[in-house]
Amino acid sequence: MSTIAVTGAASGIGAAVCQHLEAAGHTLIRVDLRNADVNADLSTAEGRQAAIAQTLEACNNRLDAVVACAGVGVTAPSIGLILGVNYFGVTEYLDGLEDALTAGCNGKAVIIGSVAGSHMVATPHPMAAAMLENDEAKALQMAEQSENPSAAYAASKYAVTVYGRRKSVEWGKRGLRLNIIAPGAVETPLHKASLDDARFGEAVKNFVAPMGRAGVPDEIADGVGFLLSDKSAFVNGSVLFIDGGMDAMVRTNTF
């Protein structure tokens, strides 16, 4: 079976993804801040390089897939941390593993984005532009000046989705595939922290999909399983919304 690296593996969606993939017989390299096979801080350049080096060592420079689940939400200790993990922690890690994925069997990757990122497609935030220019210093400077973690979160998820779609064009020519899943509200510790926060709790509580409930991590993990399987062999550069209809409700005429 395949060797698959999963970031954000210790909890939430990442933990569910690991459970599903392991049950299917895959060999996993779990990456997280702690309690993982590779313990590294993806919010810093040093931590990302350490994660890449340790992952390459663990897979002997041959990797079949990556699932980039690591992410932080609006209750993160700083707005800069949101950008550091959600965008740069994903893009630098994937870039560093490209050659290993090429050496693997039909290498593929899935990025866990967010339905929140899609709401900024028409008017991208300047923070997103700085991220897409790979100017981390500029993006972090903007983050320090911002007092809106919700905008930073959406900008990070928009930017990482655009990165994934751009990269999928390049990867497709090399026989690799890259897709993005955009979850809506999902019952994870991250979502619970937002619900319990006095600043964001009411808005999060009212952010309800047409289906009338939040998703569960297993539903996202099922989507990951599909995108890593041969059943999705011609799916590349797509954004799969697993959101109970939230994107359709908010952007009915835009797709």
Side-chain angles (χ1 to χ4, degrees):
M1 299 298 285
S2 299
T3 299
I4 303 173
V6 181
T7 70
S11 67
I13 292 171
V17 166
C18 287
Q19 185 177 17
H20 280 232
L21 294 176
E22 195 165 53
H26 300 291
T27 298
L28 300 184
I29 301 171
R30 292 172 169 84
V31 182
D32 214 308
L33 192 58
R34 58 185 69 86
N35 301 321
D37 303 311
V38 173
N39 295 312
D41 183 357
L42 294 176
S43 72
T44 69
E46 296 80 7
R48 294 167 209 146
Q49 288 304 311
I52 292 166
Q54 292 177 56
T55 301
L56 290 174
E57 182 178 2
C59 72
N60 196 25
N61 295 303
R62 187 184 185 281
L63 194 59
D64 298 301
V66 177
V67 185
C69 291
V72 296
V74 294
T75 59
S78 73
I79 294 179
L81 189 68
I82 297 173
L83 275 55
V85 176
N86 292 2
Y87 182 79
F88 295 103
V90 173
T91 60
E92 191 170 334
Y93 186 70
L94 284 176
D95 287 348
L97 297 177
E98 265 190 53
D99 289 343
L101 285 166
T102 302
C105 180
N106 300 316
K108 54 194 77 76
V110 176
I111 294 170
I112 303 300
S114 171
V115 68
S118 67
H119 304 160
M120 299 188 65
V121 171
T123 54
H125 194 282
M127 235 184 287
M131 284 182 265
L132 288 166
E133 292 166 2
N134 204 35
D135 192 337
E136 187 167 5
K138 181 179 179 181
L140 291 178
Q141 183 180 32
M142 289 182 180
E144 290 174 3
Q145 296 169 349
S146 172
E147 297 182 357
N148 190 342
S150 295
Y153 177 80
S156 72
K157 291 298 187 177
Y158 169 81
V160 83
T161 300
V162 173
Y163 161 87
R165 285 176 58 77
R166 289 177 178 175
K167 185 65 72 171
S168 71
V169 177
E170 174 190 330
W171 278 23
K173 297 172 183 177
R174 300 175 60 183
L176 309 175
R177 293 193 295 117
L178 175 56
N179 292 288
I180 304 98
I181 289 179
V186 180
E187 294 177 359
T188 63
L190 198 72
H191 184 245
K192 181 66 163 56
S194 298
L195 275 171
D196 292 344
D197 191 286
R199 297 166 297 169
F200 309 109
E202 190 65 23
V204 173
K205 186 173 68 174
N206 293 328
F207 190 65
V208 180
M211 292 183 68
R213 67 172 178 88
V216 295
D218 285 344
E219 291 171 319
I220 312 304
D222 284 337
V224 171
F226 166 70
L227 290 174
L228 294 184
S229 74
D230 292 338
K231 294 179 180 179
S232 64
F234 200 54
V235 181
N236 183 42
S238 291
V239 181
L240 174 60
F241 289 93
I242 306 181
D243 65 351
M246 179 61 72
D247 184 65
M249 183 177 75
V250 175
R251 299 191 309 147
T252 306
N253 300 322
T254 305
F255 49 88

